[in-house]
Amino acid sequence: MNIRSFFQKREKKHNNLYVLSGLENERPYVSIVLNLNFYEQYVPKYQNSTFKKFLRIDLNRVYLNSILSTFKDGHIFIADEKDTVYFSDLLYYNQIGRLSDLLKEEKNQTIVFEKLLSTEIPYFENWRYIVTTNNSGISKRLFEHQRNYLAIVVLCFVLAFFALFLIVNSVVSRLSVLARHIKKARKQQFESINIEAGKDEIGQVIEEFNIMAQKIKELLEKEIKYELRQKELALEKKQAEINALQSQINPHFLFNTLETIRMRSMLKKEFETANAIKLLAKLLKRSIRWENDLITIEEEVSAIYDYLEIQKYRFGEKLKFEIDVEEGVKSIKIPKMTIQPLVENACVHGIENSKGEGRIVVKVFKEGDMIVITIEDNGKGLEDDRITELLRSIKGLSSDKASSVGLKNVFRRLELFYGKNFSFDILRGQLGGLKVVIKIPNKRDFEDAVQSVDS
């Protein structure tokens, strides 16, 4: 191409920097050309100049080819858009060639890399460099890599086999232990598995088995305690019936005699005495005719009222009593003779020994899921250490036999009915005497057991 026409063509494209290549005097050249005409607009005296100014820099092909020859593993070619190679370690300073011809001359060459130069040097438009390597070198490296890969595969196989052996051994050993404990469970031997369970599915099964075994053991113990409590309740009931039978001396004769005395008192217009005899007869009937172990709080409070009315007949104005029962707890069933012995104890030990006016306050109310029963008097009371010793004796923690038999019987019956789900305390009351506080659960899981014993 004529250099002048080339400049004119590039000038029309308004390119200021571009590459010029070709043959000059039968020698190849590659030059970088810079258009200097745009400087005229900044210098007024050259604005109308007819000369065109260009700066041409010829690249030293010998130097560049020597740089490319440092690549020992193959060859590097730099070619234009027409596949004309201007730079390569295979060319001399006055040579150019076609890329395809050079690749044919150099056998066993494979192109491994090809990239445009324009991304890095914009004025080398569509120029690119190509990297080739010897196939024998590739084969050698592939063989080396193949050997390394084979060693890695063998190592991975050994490690996988070892890991598989450990996993299988762990699974088999844990399954064997689990199978042995399941066989023991068939014989009602629920033992926990004391091994490292692991975090896999078998470990979860072992953990669930341990939880199940523990719960079954607890249920069995609870069932055994439940059966023992049923038997104790039955024995207590039979003993109460025997005691009631032993205490009976011809009850019909006794009731008829009391009714005769009451009628004679009525005829003599001794209505207070007649009412006391009537209440006493009701109390005796309740004591002799035991029937059910459970009665409502309203029925128990009715018996307490009758008892306190009899005591009031005995003490006169010396005795004042107050009974306060919440409406919502009257229908709740409790063991028979739970409150009356405590009221009787307050009368005997609290009121009889006091010289002034005696007071007894009975309260029954609901507190959360518990029913609270309090019996308080204004007697002399006891010292703190004596109260502590009395509680220990009632709860069977000491051998003191001088404690109240009535309090012990009440505590024992509550223990049989409620197990550990109740509380029994004796405190100093605000009235000056003693205060007995009982807390029992509102819901009773023992009611069916008591009914079965009654039947």
Side-chain angles (χ1 to χ4, degrees):
M1 177 185 291
N2 188 288
I3 295 177
R4 181 180 297 276
S5 61
F6 179 83
F7 286 164
Q8 290 175 354
K9 184 178 178 181
R10 289 294 179 177
E11 190 176 13
K12 290 180 181 180
K13 292 184 178 181
H14 303 287
N15 291 334
N16 294 324
L17 184 65
Y18 42 85
V19 174
L20 182 66
S21 62
L23 294 174
E24 189 176 37
N25 298 326
E26 296 183 354
R27 293 183 178 182
Y29 68 91
V30 177
S31 302
I32 298 175
V33 180
L34 177 63
N35 185 359
L36 301 178
N37 294 306
F38 66 90
Y39 288 110
E40 294 175 354
Q41 59 181 326
Y42 302 107
V43 183
K45 68 179 181 177
Y46 294 119
Q47 289 180 357
N48 298 322
S49 175
T50 58
F51 294 98
K52 301 297 182 181
K53 296 170 283 296
F54 296 92
L55 175 64
R56 173 179 170 179
I57 301 175
D58 293 330
L59 299 180
N60 189 336
R61 296 181 63 253
V62 176
Y63 178 71
L64 290 175
N65 288 341
S66 64
I67 293 175
L68 296 179
S69 64
T70 58
F71 184 66
K72 302 299 183 182
D73 294 333
H75 303 291
I76 298 177
F77 305 92
I78 299 178
D80 61 5
E81 67 272 12
K82 297 179 181 180
D83 282 343
T84 302
V85 177
Y86 285 91
F87 304 98
S88 174
D89 57 332
L90 298 176
L91 299 174
Y92 296 105
Y93 74 97
N94 59 349
Q95 289 181 325
I96 60 174
R98 302 287 295 178
L99 177 62
S100 57
D101 297 335
L102 293 174
L103 290 177
K104 287 180 182 179
E105 293 177 2
E106 292 294 322
K107 297 180 179 179
N108 297 326
Q109 291 292 315
T110 301
I111 296 176
V112 295
F113 188 79
E114 183 174 355
K115 187 177 181 182
L116 291 174
L117 289 175
S118 60
T119 57
E120 299 176 359
I121 310 175
Y123 43 84
F124 275 93
E125 185 179 1
N126 294 325
W127 284 61
R128 66 190 189 282
Y129 60 92
I130 301 99
V131 179
T132 65
T133 187
N134 196 324
N135 292 338
S136 60
I138 295 176
S139 300
K140 182 179 179 181
R141 291 187 180 182
L142 286 175
F143 178 75
E144 292 177 354
H145 289 307
Q146 185 178 11
R147 185 174 57 189
N148 294 335
Y149 292 154
L150 182 61
I152 293 172
V153 169
V154 173
L155 179 61
C156 290
F157 178 78
V158 172
L159 293 176
F161 179 79
F162 182 70
L164 183 61
F165 173 77
L166 293 178
I167 293 172
V168 172
N169 183 63
S170 174
V171 170
V172 172
S173 61
R174 288 182 295 162
L175 285 177
S176 300
V177 175
L178 181 61
R180 288 199 302 269
H181 280 76
I182 291 175
K183 290 180 180 179
K184 289 182 180 180
R186 292 179 182 175
K187 300 177 183 179
Q188 296 186 354
Q189 298 177 1
F190 299 97
E191 299 178 0
S192 298
I193 302 176
N194 298 321
I195 62 173
E196 185 66 30
K199 297 182 179 180
D200 56 356
E201 288 77 5
I202 298 176
Q204 293 178 2
V205 173
I206 292 175
E207 290 179 357
E208 293 297 328
F209 177 85
N210 288 338
I211 294 173
M212 180 193 69
Q214 185 63 30
K215 287 186 176 181
I216 292 177
K217 286 175 65 176
E218 292 175 357
L219 288 173
L220 287 175
E221 292 176 358
K222 187 176 181 180
E223 183 67 22
I224 292 172
K225 291 180 180 179
Y226 183 77
E227 291 179 359
L228 289 175
R229 191 167 64 177
Q230 279 188 303
K231 293 179 180 178
E232 290 179 351
L233 286 171
L235 289 174
E236 289 283 336
K237 178 176 174 59
K238 295 300 180 184
Q239 187 62 43
E241 291 176 352
I242 291 172
N243 294 337
L245 289 173
Q246 289 177 349
S247 64
Q248 293 182 28
I249 305 174
N250 198 348
H252 292 289
F253 169 75
L254 180 61
F255 291 140
N256 290 335
T257 301
L258 289 174
E259 183 64 20
T260 300
I261 296 172
R262 189 180 75 84
M263 292 302 296
R264 286 183 175 275
S265 298
M266 292 287 289
L267 292 173
K268 294 180 181 180
K269 297 183 180 182
E270 296 176 354
F271 300 111
E272 189 176 2
T273 302
N275 184 55
I277 295 172
K278 177 183 176 182
L279 297 175
L280 178 61
K282 286 173 65 177
L283 286 176
L284 287 174
K285 285 182 180 180
R286 287 195 182 97
S287 301
I288 294 174
R289 297 175 185 175
W290 189 265
E291 296 179 354
N292 297 325
D293 278 338
L294 293 178
I295 62 172
T296 63
I297 293 177
E298 188 174 16
E299 292 172 335
E300 180 80 0
V301 169
S302 177
I304 295 170
Y305 185 84
D306 294 343
Y307 173 79
L308 289 175
E309 285 291 336
I310 294 173
Q311 291 293 347
K312 192 170 183 180
Y313 174 78
R314 175 186 174 190
F315 292 108
E317 295 300 323
K318 181 181 178 181
L319 175 63
K320 301 289 183 182
F321 65 87
E322 177 185 346
I323 301 177
D324 184 12
V325 182
E326 276 189 5
E327 191 66 30
V329 301
K330 289 184 178 180
S331 61
I332 302 296
K333 288 188 176 182
I334 61 173
K336 193 174 183 180
M337 299 291 288
T338 296
I339 307 177
Q340 183 176 336
L342 304 177
V343 175
E344 182 178 350
N345 188 76
C347 286
V348 174
H349 297 284
I351 305 302
E352 285 186 1
N353 297 329
S354 63
K355 296 181 180 179
E357 180 183 87
R359 288 189 61 194
I360 295 178
V361 178
V362 179
K363 292 184 179 180
V364 184
F365 55 92
K366 186 177 179 181
E367 187 178 86
D369 294 333
M370 306 294 286
I371 302 298
V372 182
I373 303 170
T374 64
I375 300 94
E376 185 177 359
D377 63 70
N378 66 339
K380 293 181 179 180
L382 296 173
E383 299 295 332
D384 291 339
D385 55 348
R386 182 69 185 112
I387 292 175
T388 302
E389 184 60 31
L390 177 61
L391 273 173
R392 288 176 54 81
S393 176
I394 291 171
K395 296 179 180 180
L397 302 176
S398 69
S399 57
D400 185 7
K401 298 182 179 180
S403 301
S404 173
V405 177
L407 295 177
K408 285 185 177 180
N409 288 338
V410 171
F411 180 83
R412 177 59 179 159
R413 284 177 59 75
L414 291 174
E415 190 176 38
L416 288 174
F417 276 95
Y418 298 101
K420 295 182 179 180
N421 298 325
F422 80 100
S423 64
F424 186 100
D425 292 311
I426 300 177
L427 314 169
R428 282 180 173 273
Q430 296 179 355
L431 301 179
L434 294 181
K435 181 179 182 179
V436 179
V437 180
I438 299 174
K439 294 183 179 181
I440 57 177
N442 188 9
K443 295 182 180 180
R444 304 164 303 279
D445 58 352
F446 59 85
E447 189 167 345
D448 294 337
V450 174
Q451 289 176 356
S452 65
V453 172
D454 291 334
S455 62

